[in-house]
Amino acid sequence: MVKKKQNRESEPVAEDFRVIGKNHGKVGAMDRLTGVAKYTDDLSLPRMLHAKILRSPHAHARILNIDTSAAEALDGVFGVVVGSEMPTRYGVIPWTPDEQALAADKARYVGDAVAAVAARDEETANAALKLIDVEYEVLEPLCSPQAALASPLKIHENNKKGNISKHVKLEFGEVDNNLKKADLIIEGHYEFHGTNHAAIEPHCALAYYDNKDLLTIWSSTQVPHYLHRELAKVLVLETRQIRVIQPPLGGAFGAKSEPFDLEFVAAKLSMKTGLPVKCLYTREEVFFAHRGRHPFSMDYRMGFDQNGHILAVDAQTILDGGAYSSFGLVTTYYSGQLLCSPYTFDTFRFESTRVYTNKPTCGPKRGHGSVQPRFAIEVQLDKAAHALGLDPIELRRRNFLGENTRTVNGFVVGSNGFPECLDKIEEASRWRERYDKLPYGRGLGVAGSTYISGTNYCVYPSDLPQAGVQICLDRSGRARIFAGCSDIGQGSDTVLAVIAAENLGLEVNDIRVVSADTDLTPVDLGAYSSRITLMMGHACLMAAENLGKKVREAVAQHWECSAKQVILAGRRAQRLDDPEMFIPIQEAFVLAEAIYGTLGTVGYYDTPKEGVHGEYRGAPIGASPAYSFTAHVVEVDVDAETGDVEVIQIWAAHDCGRALAPILVEGQIEGSVYMGAAEALMENHELMPSGLNPGGRRKHGPGLEGVLAHTSLLDYPIPTTLDTPDIASIIVEKPDPRGPYGAKEAGEGPLHPVIPAIANAIYDAIGVRIDELPITPEKIVAAVQAREEENMKGVRHASASAL
Amino acid sequence: MLRLQPFELVQPESIGEVLQLLSTHAEHVRIISGGTDLVPNLKLGSIKGDVLVSLQRVDELKNLKEADTQLVIGAGVSLHTIATSKLVQGTVPVLADAVGKIASPQIRNMGTLGGNLCLDTRCRYINQSEFIRSSFGGCLKSDGDRCHVVPGGSLCVAALSSDSVPVLIALGADVDIIGPEGERTIPVEELYTKDGVAHIALSSDEVVVRARVPIPAAQTRITYRKWAVRKSIDFPLVSVAVRIDHIKGSPDILEDGRVVVGVLGPQPKILRLSSLQGQPINEEMAHKVAGIVSRRCTPLANVPYSEDYRKLRLAVEVKRAIRSLFI
Ligand SMILES: Cc1cc2nc3c(=O)[nH]c(=O)nc-3n(C[C@H](O)[C@H](O)[C@H](O)COP(=O)(O)OP(=O)(O)OC[C@H]3O[C@@H](n4cnc5c(N)ncnc54)[C@H](O)[C@@H]3O)c2cc1C
Ligand code: SF4
């Protein structure tokens, strides 16, 4: 017993934990399951108005005049707002403020917001929108990066570099030299299409500017803090006048990680009318607001030696950014910066150009900026393995980056369970017996990846902590956590409760988590880049440890022993050397409160800034305190005649450092796999066909440029349960010294390998490569036909030469 | 959420009342049965409906029975009932199968046979919100003057997308229709016109009462194949019913047959296989028929997904359909 205790003091092993790593339900889950949870649209205030937003039917048009008088005169209309009333340009990245709450001078995509109405109900607001007269000067729509780069017409007049939103070129080592030395060069062109997050809850905001000049806004946001800042800027209010509350969210996935027109509109209309105003998007508006995955057009060249070692990676990428910047500056960096593990390369160069187009704005979707290049590189690796006659898993092992090391671009990597991930999926999928040996039509494919556990830098420069919590205990025998972070369904409230319960001797149910309310909770930057478990985890651990220490000391005084002799576990304070000696935890809290007064502490966390990345322009972007690793094997069944691909099973192994709440980690793996498979095979945030059709036979009518093709969840397919493969989620734990209890991220990494693993499995099944996503039956059939024609030529050629 | 425009809902309890209501309310009166097609279209504003006459309380429409050599299915019978009824499964299994492929379990609970027969045509330019349609000026089927699928065309070619219709036609089913002038019976195929804007050959005061489905004889084999992106919820992008009748006593030799193809234009396309009479039902026939269908059917760019692929897919589905009917 005593020995075990010593164990605990050094490196904690899983069995020593009371709460961490155990299977407990998710905080708030029953509320959601039973319909008790109140989402933003479930909220209602007395005399509340409903707002609707007028959107541009043109992809690119100058706004010459807006006449709202008829709308204002309509019975039931209380307020109208137009862009000139909120002219401040903002952007979630402070370096690229190119958006306005409502477009004042120019509409830049079909769906761009130009005016809004608050009325007694949505019907009246909709009727009023029809009465607003907007005079447009229609401009040439630039709906592809090629068109935008070629045109002298600028989408943003003030942009210095034509329609280029961001350009990054970085080189590490001498790539060209290494390409010359290489025994094998693999070159490929890859297309990644645009996809939306398709969160089930559409965006919604309810704002009330009250008679104390205080603006309260309930919003389905995943970044209350950034919203808080931008609201102040655009509405010209002091931050102290604004309170942002984030109610439970029905999914986000990056779709809600910056401010949107509806929040400004609801707030401004409330300021104008003095009444509460709600604005709820239609599904179509969700597709307009978008911020989904950027379409990437990628040219990759990689050099290998004969043993399969990667000597050089040369990546050229065009990012289709859509109308505004969003996180685009970061996306452009991520498109290269996040590529440099889990494999080691001697040299690396990437050049990425993000282009403005007259389309809905692209932004961060789960696996921000790195899912697309991951597709390219993992397929490249598969091609290399085939060219060299190597098993693709073996090729990946040979290029393993290692632990406690630096990547070619200077990121410092701590723990790295990638080899274990490979081992697990190799075994689980019976890879060795089956890869390359299955009958025609069946195939296995592998891919790996990495992701960040938050980024070292806040989106605005600051020396402040990234995450903060406050914990209170009292004589009722429970704890309250006040945390600025956003539980968007990923379970961050649960992670905090688990850490606090572990340290305070409580059960998860004894913890009340109050999160994401800028009046009540300390600042956290938000739910993006998989930062919360690591950052808020640390902050919570700091606060909980402090409080736990006080409680143990109080009990120690009572028992006249040392605080080290007291442990808090299972709702008890207990003598370490005598398990029979204990008091209920509530009594322990009472003892502590009697000695120390009201019990409360704060905890906070800031990222390490020194020595964790290289020293070059852009070096910190993408650098993280800790990196997760993932490997998947996918099994597919392909019908070469119809092109149907059925994903039979996905084995996904993910190194999350330590699984603080394993059910949540499994949920994140499953959700990621589901989402990735959907992107690979089904989803496409595409425009309607316009101009000549693909066969060049027919010209589509005018006016279709820039119009989204699929604006409902019927036409934009996401998989039903019947379309969802079996998923084996395998947790690998390689604790990272930089994570709380060693924990790293789990919410985004496991998405990355799915897409290339499916593509690689299709190759194993039928021997064709689909390098342009999504992988549709049509593309498969075309590739099979092309191969057959090629073979025929070969046969003809062979017989001709035989003659 | 898209808002539903306000409407008046009337809930008669007999067919007589329904007919009366239809004739007294002139402008924008609509029959609503399960509402699973009508309500989404009202929300999109692609159709108008000020007064909705509900069939839900009309019990006369909910009969499902076997009468002589026919299965008689009331227009108000739910899709779920048809798909799961022992009677249907036992007598006309292909119909239960096709209806079981419609939409999703929830929608099959609400949706009815009458609604499936009279389902509006579908097209990527019409199944859009008013806003999206306004951004390209609408089309012939809604507040516009041109067709985007067939530029220059004067008829709407939106696609018949019902999963039950091809099968019912292959079975040789009829529908009973009642109107102010009384009842009439027509073959299912005659319910459809060439014009996707008004593709149901009924006047606004007529009601589909029931379908009469001949129970196939022993020498008749029928199958239905549907292709859609997902395994549930989606409308068909390719749909085909194939019927083969063999010569009595010679199960390998074709007596007659027909192929009914949906999702082309507003009308189902019926191809008769009488020219193959006397030929063996085998792989060669599967290829032949696939070839005929491929030559005679041209999917259009009305529903999503490329026309070329849908053409290819149709041929494969026909071939596989026939293969599944070999004995
Ligand atoms: C998400 C989704 C997926 C779908 N997928 C499919 C699919 O895969 N396959 C498919 O076939 N359908 C599909 N549908 C369409 C629809 O659900 C079905 O076609 C259903 O059968 C319609 O029946 P209903 O009773 O709901 O019709 P309603 O919506 O009530 O009516 C449809 C039309 O028929 C008219 N009508 C109804 N009954 C009569 C009658 N007795 N006499 C005259 N006119 C009548 C109505 O006036 C209306 O114009 C889908 C619908 C949705 C929303
Ligand atoms: S076929 Fe033509 S007219 Fe008919 S709905 Fe489609 S675009 Fe409109």
Side-chain angles (χ1 to χ4, degrees):
Chain A
M1 184 73 204
V2 174
K3 239 189 164 146
K4 201 159 181 218
K5 156 79 183 169
Q6 279 163 352
N7 243 345
R8 182 197 304 270
E9 296 271 86
S10 52
E11 163 82 351
V13 283
E15 303 79 65
D16 279 341
F17 295 121
R18 288 281 319 201
V19 187
I20 298 241
K22 301 288 183 289
N23 274 334
H24 21 66
K26 183 164 167 176
V27 170
M30 280 315 282
D31 283 355
R32 286 162 188 255
L33 291 173
T34 54
V36 174
K38 280 198 178 344
Y39 297 84
T40 309
D41 187 40
D42 294 323
L43 305 177
S44 178
L45 292 177
R47 304 200 303 148
M48 182 175 84
L49 302 177
H50 295 265
K52 282 282 163 192
I53 298 172
L54 183 70
R55 297 182 179 279
S56 165
H58 307 294
H60 198 185
R62 207 158 274 130
I63 299 167
L64 303 178
N65 188 41
I66 306 184
D67 181 355
T68 61
S69 52
E72 276 165 83
L74 186 71
D75 184 39
V77 170
F78 286 72
V80 179
V81 62
V82 296
S84 56
E85 296 172 69
M86 294 182 278
T88 310
R89 285 180 201 276
Y90 69 91
V92 68
I93 303 291
W95 321 114
T96 54
D98 58 9
E99 281 191 76
Q100 288 175 307
L102 296 168
D105 51 348
K106 211 175 166 191
R108 295 182 173 87
Y109 67 97
V110 173
D112 211 352
V114 294
V117 172
R120 68 176 163 235
D121 51 35
E122 286 185 277
E123 285 75 10
T124 310
N126 277 329
L129 292 188
K130 291 196 175 150
L131 299 175
I132 297 178
D133 188 13
V134 186
E135 203 184 315
Y136 291 104
E137 177 196 338
V138 176
L139 303 170
E140 185 198 357
L142 304 171
C143 295
S144 70
Q146 292 73 12
L149 287 172
S151 173
L153 184 64
K154 281 190 190 180
I155 293 173
H156 290 271
E157 267 85 5
N158 298 334
N159 191 45
K160 290 196 198 81
K161 295 165 288 179
N163 286 315
I164 293 178
S165 129
K166 180 73 195 169
H167 175 253
V168 176
K169 185 173 180 179
L170 287 172
E171 178 157 358
F172 307 94
E174 305 208 345
V175 170
D176 291 328
N177 266 351
N178 271 24
L179 284 171
K180 274 193 212 116
K181 280 195 293 193
D183 297 315
L184 172 73
I185 303 266
I186 299 286
E187 258 182 291
H189 176 79
Y190 303 89
E191 292 283 337
F192 203 114
H193 60 309
T195 63
N196 186 262
H197 320 73
I200 296 304
E201 180 203 23
H203 304 49
C204 184
L206 164 60
Y208 183 34
Y209 189 78
D210 63 23
N211 53 16
K212 300 178 286 299
D213 291 332
L214 199 81
L215 172 70
T216 305
I217 181 158
W218 293 261
S219 177
S220 60
T221 181
Q222 52 190 115
V223 286
H225 176 64
Y226 293 146
L227 176 60
H228 191 176
R229 286 168 54 91
E230 300 307 296
L231 281 170
K233 202 159 96 183
V234 173
L235 300 171
V236 200
L237 295 172
E238 300 294 332
T239 45
R240 72 179 126 76
Q241 285 176 277
I242 301 175
R243 174 179 185 185
V244 178
I245 302 172
Q246 176 235 307
L249 241 64
F253 313 108
K256 299 166 180 169
S257 51
E258 53 196 290
F260 288 94
D261 49 20
L262 84 169
E263 289 147 332
F264 297 114
V265 157
K268 186 72 182 180
L269 285 168
S270 180
M271 290 169 75
K272 286 182 82 163
T273 61
L275 296 170
V277 178
K278 184 195 277 184
C279 188
L280 168 69
Y281 275 172
T282 59
R283 177 57 54 182
E284 183 171 294
E285 288 178 294
V286 174
F287 284 111
F288 291 148
H290 193 44
R291 319 285 151 154
R293 205 161 319 283
H294 286 69
F296 274 24
S297 181
M298 301 173 279
D299 286 295
Y300 271 58
R301 203 147 54 109
M302 291 170 65
F304 297 83
D305 71 14
Q306 58 193 14
N307 299 317
H309 293 123
I310 305 166
L311 300 180
V313 177
D314 183 15
Q316 302 277 330
T317 304
I318 301 285
L319 294 77
D320 182 351
Y324 297 99
S325 278
S326 174
F327 282 85
L329 181 152
V330 177
T331 323
T332 314
Y333 272 104
Y334 279 10
S335 68
Q337 289 289 71
L338 298 190
L339 212 51
C340 301
S341 58
Y343 315 112
T344 177
F345 339 134
D346 293 351
T347 65
F348 176 46
R349 174 171 63 214
F350 76 94
E351 180 171 10
S352 295
T353 310
R354 184 179 190 268
V355 185
Y356 286 123
T357 53
N358 291 122
K359 294 166 65 177
T361 305
C362 299
K365 177 175 166 181
R366 201 173 198 172
H368 180 193
S370 80
V371 168
Q372 304 95 321
R374 186 52 59 186
F375 168 65
I377 195 165
E378 295 291 328
V379 173
Q380 288 270 111
L381 289 178
D382 208 60
K383 292 178 181 174
H386 280 274
L388 293 165
L390 278 175
D391 180 298
I393 293 187
E394 172 58 21
L395 178 90
R396 285 171 171 81
R397 286 198 177 106
R398 288 190 188 178
N399 286 292
F400 176 53
L401 174 72
E403 300 202 76
N404 304 318
T405 182
R406 255 179 200 270
T407 60
V408 67
N409 60 341
F411 292 176
V412 171
V413 173
S415 82
N416 188 341
F418 187 60
E420 288 79 357
C421 293
L422 288 176
D423 293 347
K424 295 266 189 209
I425 52 163
E426 184 179 52
E427 194 189 317
S429 65
R430 295 190 294 118
W431 176 270
R432 287 187 194 201
E433 298 114 84
R434 304 198 304 143
Y435 173 69
D436 203 21
K437 299 184 188 72
L438 292 169
Y440 185 73
R442 271 266 170 160
L444 293 175
V446 66
S449 189
T450 180
Y451 204 64
I452 54 179
S453 312
T455 57
N456 279 359
Y457 288 83
C458 169
V459 304
Y460 61 89
S462 118
D463 292 325
L464 303 169
Q466 283 213 29
V469 300
Q470 200 177 1
I471 307 185
C472 304
L473 288 183
D474 65 41
R475 54 195 93 167
S476 63
R478 64 173 177 218
R480 287 186 297 277
I481 301 179
F482 298 90
C485 56
S486 301
D487 193 325
I488 58 174
Q490 88 283 40
S492 61
D493 284 355
T494 310
V495 166
L496 300 182
V498 164
I499 291 175
E502 179 72 38
N503 283 279
L504 296 168
L506 295 171
E507 302 294 336
V508 172
N509 279 344
D510 305 333
I511 317 274
R512 308 281 179 273
V513 186
V514 176
S515 58
D517 177 331
T518 61
D519 258 19
L520 302 183
T521 61
V523 170
D524 173 75
L525 297 183
Y528 64 96
S529 77
S530 282
R531 50 182 294 289
I532 295 185
T533 294
L534 188 139
M535 301 196 189
M536 283 299 283
H538 271 303
C540 186
L541 179 56
M542 175 179 172
E545 266 181 350
N546 264 332
L547 267 183
K549 207 165 134 215
K550 284 188 175 165
V551 175
R552 283 192 286 119
E553 270 163 11
V555 177
Q557 277 190 31
H558 180 64
W559 282 340
E560 296 179 349
C561 65
S562 102
K564 282 191 178 162
Q565 292 288 322
V566 181
I567 55 170
L568 308 178
R571 291 191 178 133
R572 288 171 171 187
Q574 187 179 306
R575 268 295 278 255
L576 178 65
D577 48 9
D578 180 5
E580 296 305 305
M581 190 164 172
F582 65 85
I583 53 172
I585 198 75
Q586 186 170 3
E587 271 177 44
F589 291 177
V590 167
L591 291 172
E593 194 175 332
I595 295 175
Y596 297 104
T598 301
L599 297 170
T601 53
V602 295
Y604 52 90
Y605 173 79
D606 200 12
T607 47
K609 301 278 182 340
E610 299 297 321
V612 288
H613 51 69
E615 295 300 328
Y616 53 90
R617 191 184 154 91
I621 302 183
S624 173
Y627 300 84
S628 75
F629 296 92
T630 312
H632 293 4
V633 167
V634 170
E635 180 167 358
V636 295
D637 192 286
V638 187
D639 183 329
E641 194 181 19
T642 60
D644 285 342
V645 175
E646 167 130 27
V647 179
I648 307 291
Q649 177 148 16
I650 300 181
W651 295 267
H654 181 73
D655 166 23
C656 65
R658 184 180 305 282
L660 301 177
I663 288 182
L664 294 189
V665 175
E666 278 171 20
Q668 288 301 313
I669 296 175
E670 281 178 21
S672 293
V673 166
Y674 167 89
M675 203 170 220
E679 287 188 61
L681 299 170
M682 286 185 183
E683 295 181 36
N684 199 351
H685 187 261
E686 65 187 330
L687 300 178
M688 285 200 173
S690 63
L692 284 181
N693 77 359
R697 287 195 300 270
R698 198 162 49 72
K699 185 127 177 66
H700 294 273
L704 291 163
E705 295 87 358
V707 182
L708 273 183
H710 319 297
T711 54
S712 73
L713 287 181
L714 180 58
D715 290 326
Y716 181 91
I718 56 176
T720 68
T721 45
L722 293 181
D723 305 296
T724 306
D726 285 342
I727 301 165
S729 305
I730 304 168
I731 298 176
V732 170
E733 294 182 282
K734 273 277 194 159
D736 191 295
R738 288 225 168 88
Y741 297 100
K744 310 189 283 190
E745 78 87 35
E748 303 188 73
L751 192 152
H752 293 70
V754 185
I755 301 164
I758 289 176
N760 292 340
I762 290 170
Y763 184 75
D764 186 43
I766 57 166
V768 298
R769 293 269 175 210
I770 309 295
D771 292 342
E772 288 185 19
L773 295 171
I775 301 171
T776 57
E778 178 168 27
K779 288 181 191 163
I780 300 229
V781 168
V784 170
Q785 271 173 2
R787 180 187 56 196
E788 275 159 17
E789 275 159 28
E790 222 20 65
N791 287 348
M792 288 303 289
K793 262 193 230 154
V795 170
R796 272 201 299 274
H797 188 73
S799 49
S801 51
L803 288 172
Chain B
M1 229 188 347
L2 284 174
R3 303 304 300 181
L4 197 50
Q5 288 304 311
F7 53 78
E8 187 192 335
L9 180 73
V10 276
Q11 298 185 288
E13 293 181 3
S14 70
I15 295 179
E17 280 176 79
V18 171
L19 292 177
Q20 207 191 343
L21 284 162
L22 289 177
S23 55
T24 49
H25 290 280
E27 262 305 270
H28 296 321
V29 62
R30 296 257 172 197
I31 295 171
I32 180 166
S33 187
T36 60
D37 183 52
L38 191 79
V39 173
N41 291 337
L42 286 172
K43 276 191 158 189
L44 294 175
S46 60
I47 57 171
K48 303 264 175 296
D50 298 332
V51 179
L52 304 186
V53 179
S54 168
L55 302 184
Q56 258 176 1
R57 293 190 182 167
V58 185
D59 289 339
E60 299 158 75
L61 295 175
K62 295 187 182 165
N63 286 326
L64 169 61
K65 60 172 194 272
E66 191 178 347
D68 299 328
T69 54
Q70 283 186 335
L71 190 65
V72 181
I73 311 175
V77 176
S78 80
L79 301 175
H80 170 80
T81 304
I82 299 172
T84 56
S85 139
K86 290 275 171 294
L87 177 60
V88 182
Q89 287 173 349
T91 50
V92 197
V94 64
L95 183 62
D97 173 54
V99 170
K101 289 184 169 136
I102 295 173
S104 66
Q106 293 87 340
I107 293 174
R108 289 196 295 275
N109 282 338
M110 289 302 292
T112 62
L113 182 69
N116 199 245
L117 285 165
C118 301
L119 172 69
D120 204 350
T121 50
R122 296 189 61 80
C123 171
R124 56 174 102 178
Y125 301 101
I126 189 74
N127 303 130
Q128 298 284 359
S129 72
E130 224 170 323
F131 171 73
I132 291 272
R133 294 198 313 269
S134 76
S135 68
F136 56 80
C139 69
L140 296 175
K141 198 165 156 66
S142 79
D143 34 69
D145 59 0
R146 63 172 68 98
C147 174
H148 303 281
V149 173
V150 183
S154 59
L155 272 189
C156 166
V157 293
L160 174 116
S161 302
S162 158
D163 278 306
S164 71
V165 167
V167 166
L168 289 170
I169 295 174
L171 286 160
D174 291 329
V175 282
D176 292 348
I177 295 160
I178 193 164
E181 267 94 70
E183 241 183 82
R184 61 189 174 109
T185 300
I186 57 169
V188 171
E189 55 267 41
E190 287 177 20
L191 195 55
Y192 305 100
T193 76
K194 271 204 200 68
D195 181 4
V197 172
H199 80 301
I200 300 291
L202 293 184
S203 59
S204 66
D205 50 7
E206 287 184 306
V207 181
V208 174
V209 185
R210 66 188 77 82
R212 298 178 178 278
V213 187
I215 295 171
Q219 63 268 34
T220 300
R221 281 170 260 159
I222 308 187
T223 188
Y224 176 65
R225 296 183 72 92
K226 161 179 184 172
W227 175 67
V229 173
R230 290 176 287 190
K231 294 206 179 87
S232 181
I233 202 90
D234 285 339
F235 280 95
L237 297 176
V238 167
S239 77
V240 58
V242 176
R243 167 179 183 156
I244 278 183
D245 301 289
H246 62 250
I247 290 180
K248 247 195 188 140
S250 313
D252 308 337
I253 305 298
L254 188 87
E255 159 87 44
D256 197 3
R258 51 168 99 169
V259 177
V260 187
V261 184
V263 213
L264 296 171
Q267 279 175 313
K269 182 124 182 167
I270 306 168
L271 306 169
R272 294 180 200 277
L273 302 181
S274 22
S275 63
L276 301 176
Q277 193 190 31
Q279 297 193 13
I281 306 165
N282 58 13
E283 184 65 20
E284 197 188 327
M285 176 171 285
H287 281 270
K288 251 189 217 164
V289 177
I292 295 172
V293 171
S294 202
R295 274 194 300 283
R296 307 238 337 248
C297 297
T298 308
L300 300 169
N302 41 18
V303 295
Y305 233 79
S306 93
E307 307 95 279
D308 292 348
Y309 176 75
R310 286 171 48 232
K311 190 178 179 73
L312 179 146
R313 182 84 191 210
L314 176 59
V316 175
E317 296 299 344
V318 168
K319 195 170 65 186
R320 291 184 178 183
I322 295 186
R323 270 187 203 147
S324 75
L325 298 177
F326 296 170
I327 290 182

